[in-house]
Amino acid sequence: MGADEQKRIYLVVIDDSAEARVALRFAARRAAKTGGGIEVLGIVEAQDFVQFGGVQAAIEEEQRLRIAGVVSSAVGEILDEAGIEATIIVQHGEPVKAVREYIGERTEVDALVLGA
């Protein structure tokens, strides 16, 4: 890859569904074949009862750790073999809006991979 070439980034929005794991596995395989990377986006929906920033931060950290576990168990071997690291991002808010905003801010994301 030349100095001015940018590696292909696959964005996977993850939740607890089997479809999300399939999408993650697909993205990992594509990234391995193309020398690309993976960004895994988890979304924490706003909690009406959360009044303190520390509680929200704890919820987000718990979500990040859960996503890291999903990534490791679903595609850890693929990532290890290909030498790819998955970047894990946690956003909070309404899922569709959060994904749109994230993609709008990240011009380096080439493909959004969703399970169907």
Side-chain angles (χ1 to χ4, degrees):
M1 201 175 294
D4 58 348
E5 288 183 55
Q6 184 176 333
K7 71 179 180 178
R8 179 172 216 114
I9 300 295
Y10 298 90
L11 175 64
V12 181
V13 180
I14 197 85
D15 59 18
D16 291 325
S17 70
E19 293 85 2
R21 287 176 186 258
V22 169
L24 183 58
R25 192 169 288 113
F26 174 82
R29 288 186 179 135
R30 292 298 310 149
K33 287 181 181 177
T34 63
I38 298 175
E39 292 186 2
V40 181
L41 177 62
I43 301 170
V44 178
E45 292 192 55
Q47 307 294 318
D48 292 334
F49 64 88
V50 175
Q51 297 294 322
F52 303 101
V55 174
Q56 182 67 32
I59 290 171
E60 288 180 16
E61 179 62 13
E62 181 180 307
Q63 177 76 349
R64 191 193 66 73
L65 292 172
R66 187 180 61 72
I67 292 168
V70 169
V71 170
S72 179
S73 67
V75 296
E77 187 176 313
I78 295 170
L79 297 176
D80 289 345
E81 287 175 4
I84 297 170
E85 288 188 28
T87 303
I88 297 171
I89 302 99
V90 176
Q91 298 273 0
H92 60 282
E94 190 275 319
V96 172
K97 183 178 179 187
V99 170
R100 282 187 181 148
E101 287 176 359
Y102 185 80
I103 291 172
E105 296 168 359
R106 304 282 302 194
T107 57
E108 62 272 21
V109 172
D110 293 297
L112 173 61
V113 182
L114 300 171

mmCIF file of all heavy atoms in Angstrom, residues 50 52-63:
data_model
loop_
_atom_site.group_PDB
_atom_site.id
_atom_site.type_symbol
_atom_site.label_atom_id
_atom_site.label_comp_id
_atom_site.label_asym_id
_atom_site.label_seq_id
_atom_site.Cartn_x
_atom_site.Cartn_y
_atom_site.Cartn_z
ATOM 1 N N VAL A 50 -30.991 7.950 34.297
ATOM 2 C CA VAL A 50 -29.610 8.285 34.631
ATOM 3 C C VAL A 50 -29.503 9.784 34.897
ATOM 4 O O VAL A 50 -29.748 10.604 34.027
ATOM 5 C CB VAL A 50 -28.643 7.868 33.499
ATOM 6 C CG1 VAL A 50 -27.237 8.340 33.823
ATOM 7 C CG2 VAL A 50 -28.671 6.367 33.320
ATOM 8 N N PHE A 52 -26.679 11.045 36.807
ATOM 9 C CA PHE A 52 -25.305 11.408 37.110
ATOM 10 C C PHE A 52 -24.369 10.932 36.013
ATOM 11 O O PHE A 52 -24.492 9.821 35.517
ATOM 12 C CB PHE A 52 -24.888 10.800 38.453
ATOM 13 C CG PHE A 52 -25.790 11.209 39.585
ATOM 14 C CD1 PHE A 52 -26.774 10.355 40.052
ATOM 15 C CD2 PHE A 52 -25.670 12.470 40.149
ATOM 16 C CE1 PHE A 52 -27.614 10.740 41.079
ATOM 17 C CE2 PHE A 52 -26.516 12.859 41.172
ATOM 18 C CZ PHE A 52 -27.490 11.995 41.644
ATOM 19 N N GLY A 53 -23.412 11.783 35.654
ATOM 20 C CA GLY A 53 -22.452 11.451 34.605
ATOM 21 C C GLY A 53 -21.665 10.193 34.908
ATOM 22 O O GLY A 53 -21.327 9.431 34.014
ATOM 23 N N GLY A 54 -21.341 9.950 36.173
ATOM 24 C CA GLY A 54 -20.585 8.762 36.560
ATOM 25 C C GLY A 54 -21.342 7.482 36.243
ATOM 26 O O GLY A 54 -20.748 6.486 35.834
ATOM 27 N N VAL A 55 -22.650 7.502 36.416
ATOM 28 C CA VAL A 55 -23.471 6.334 36.103
ATOM 29 C C VAL A 55 -23.475 6.098 34.603
ATOM 30 O O VAL A 55 -23.314 4.968 34.134
ATOM 31 C CB VAL A 55 -24.913 6.510 36.645
ATOM 32 C CG1 VAL A 55 -25.803 5.362 36.195
ATOM 33 C CG2 VAL A 55 -24.901 6.618 38.163
ATOM 34 N N GLN A 56 -23.636 7.159 33.820
ATOM 35 C CA GLN A 56 -23.620 7.040 32.361
ATOM 36 C C GLN A 56 -22.270 6.514 31.894
ATOM 37 O O GLN A 56 -22.198 5.651 31.024
ATOM 38 C CB GLN A 56 -23.913 8.392 31.701
ATOM 39 C CG GLN A 56 -23.957 8.340 30.187
ATOM 40 C CD GLN A 56 -25.124 7.530 29.633
ATOM 41 O OE1 GLN A 56 -26.192 7.472 30.226
ATOM 42 N NE2 GLN A 56 -24.914 6.892 28.506
ATOM 43 N N ALA A 57 -21.189 7.013 32.478
ATOM 44 C CA ALA A 57 -19.849 6.547 32.108
ATOM 45 C C ALA A 57 -19.687 5.064 32.422
ATOM 46 O O ALA A 57 -19.093 4.316 31.650
ATOM 47 C CB ALA A 57 -18.783 7.365 32.823
ATOM 48 N N ALA A 58 -20.218 4.622 33.549
ATOM 49 C CA ALA A 58 -20.134 3.202 33.915
ATOM 50 C C ALA A 58 -20.930 2.344 32.942
ATOM 51 O O ALA A 58 -20.478 1.262 32.545
ATOM 52 C CB ALA A 58 -20.646 2.992 35.345
ATOM 53 N N ILE A 59 -22.090 2.818 32.522
ATOM 54 C CA ILE A 59 -22.906 2.086 31.545
ATOM 55 C C ILE A 59 -22.149 1.976 30.226
ATOM 56 O O ILE A 59 -22.104 0.914 29.603
ATOM 57 C CB ILE A 59 -24.275 2.786 31.343
ATOM 58 C CG1 ILE A 59 -25.137 2.625 32.590
ATOM 59 C CG2 ILE A 59 -24.991 2.228 30.114
ATOM 60 C CD1 ILE A 59 -26.404 3.458 32.582
ATOM 61 N N GLU A 60 -21.523 3.067 29.787
ATOM 62 C CA GLU A 60 -20.781 3.053 28.529
ATOM 63 C C GLU A 60 -19.568 2.127 28.605
ATOM 64 O O GLU A 60 -19.272 1.403 27.656
ATOM 65 C CB GLU A 60 -20.365 4.467 28.146
ATOM 66 C CG GLU A 60 -21.539 5.304 27.694
ATOM 67 C CD GLU A 60 -21.163 6.717 27.311
ATOM 68 O OE1 GLU A 60 -19.961 6.987 27.103
ATOM 69 O OE2 GLU A 60 -22.066 7.556 27.200
ATOM 70 N N GLU A 61 -18.868 2.122 29.734
ATOM 71 C CA GLU A 61 -17.708 1.238 29.888
ATOM 72 C C GLU A 61 -18.143 -0.226 29.889
ATOM 73 O O GLU A 61 -17.498 -1.077 29.279
ATOM 74 C CB GLU A 61 -16.944 1.572 31.172
ATOM 75 C CG GLU A 61 -15.749 0.684 31.424
ATOM 76 C CD GLU A 61 -14.658 0.766 30.350
ATOM 77 O OE1 GLU A 61 -14.680 1.678 29.500
ATOM 78 O OE2 GLU A 61 -13.765 -0.100 30.365
ATOM 79 N N GLU A 62 -19.240 -0.511 30.544
ATOM 80 C CA GLU A 62 -19.775 -1.878 30.550
ATOM 81 C C GLU A 62 -20.131 -2.318 29.133
ATOM 82 O O GLU A 62 -19.835 -3.441 28.711
ATOM 83 C CB GLU A 62 -21.010 -1.949 31.446
ATOM 84 C CG GLU A 62 -21.624 -3.321 31.535
ATOM 85 C CD GLU A 62 -22.849 -3.325 32.439
ATOM 86 O OE1 GLU A 62 -22.743 -2.872 33.592
ATOM 87 O OE2 GLU A 62 -23.914 -3.776 31.976
ATOM 88 N N GLN A 63 -20.724 -1.420 28.364
ATOM 89 C CA GLN A 63 -21.077 -1.709 26.972
ATOM 90 C C GLN A 63 -19.815 -1.967 26.146
ATOM 91 O O GLN A 63 -19.761 -2.880 25.339
ATOM 92 C CB GLN A 63 -21.878 -0.545 26.383
ATOM 93 C CG GLN A 63 -22.250 -0.690 24.936
ATOM 94 C CD GLN A 63 -23.399 -1.646 24.682
ATOM 95 O OE1 GLN A 63 -23.818 -2.376 25.569
ATOM 96 N NE2 GLN A 63 -23.897 -1.660 23.480
#
